[in-house]
Amino acid sequence: MMGFVIPGGWAPECLAMDSFVVDIVRKFSNSQKPIASICHVQLILAAAEVVKGCKFTAFPTVRSAIIAAGAFWVEPENNAASVLDGNIISGATYEGHPEFIQPFVKALGGIITGAGRQKYSVSL
């Protein structure tokens, strides 16, 4: 199984205006394979018009853009929050990488062993 992880940060604000990037995301989304988006990446998903009717969380400043694109906003309880809806896993900030990556690995058919700050292994 293949998946698509789009790194977060501020760069997605510019990438959401790049038609090449938006087209790649749209095409990948149509494949229904897992997509992991975090922080400001949901702006790219909104630009690709793949968020309508889905539940998302993100960095709080992205809220209005996600709602305007037709998605359902899930207020993050903390910076580690993540939401799974269909094939898309969304996360609020880098602080949630463990919570964010676990459902992504599971969607790929993987198994994670270990917990917390301990070392863990991933089997695909």
Side-chain angles (χ1 to χ4, degrees), residues 16-74:
M17 296 184 299
D18 185 315
S19 61
F20 180 74
V21 171
V22 170
D23 190 49
I24 288 172
V25 170
R26 184 180 299 116
K27 287 178 180 174
F28 196 88
S29 179
N30 290 339
S31 75
Q32 292 300 306
K33 293 179 181 172
I35 296 176
S37 63
I38 197 160
C39 195
H40 287 72
V41 171
Q42 288 74 325
L43 294 172
I44 299 172
L45 298 174
E49 301 175 343
V50 300
V51 301
K52 190 171 185 172
C54 296
K55 295 177 189 172
F56 281 89
T57 195
F59 193 77
T61 58
V62 176
R63 180 182 187 268
S64 59
I66 293 300
I67 292 169
F72 298 103
W73 177 255
V74 177

Side-chain angles (χ1 to χ4, degrees), residues 3-8 28 34-38 41 100-101 104 108:
F4 192 19
V5 177
I6 310 171
F28 196 88
I35 296 176
S37 63
I38 197 160
V41 171
F100 167 75
I101 205 66
F104 182 70
L108 294 174

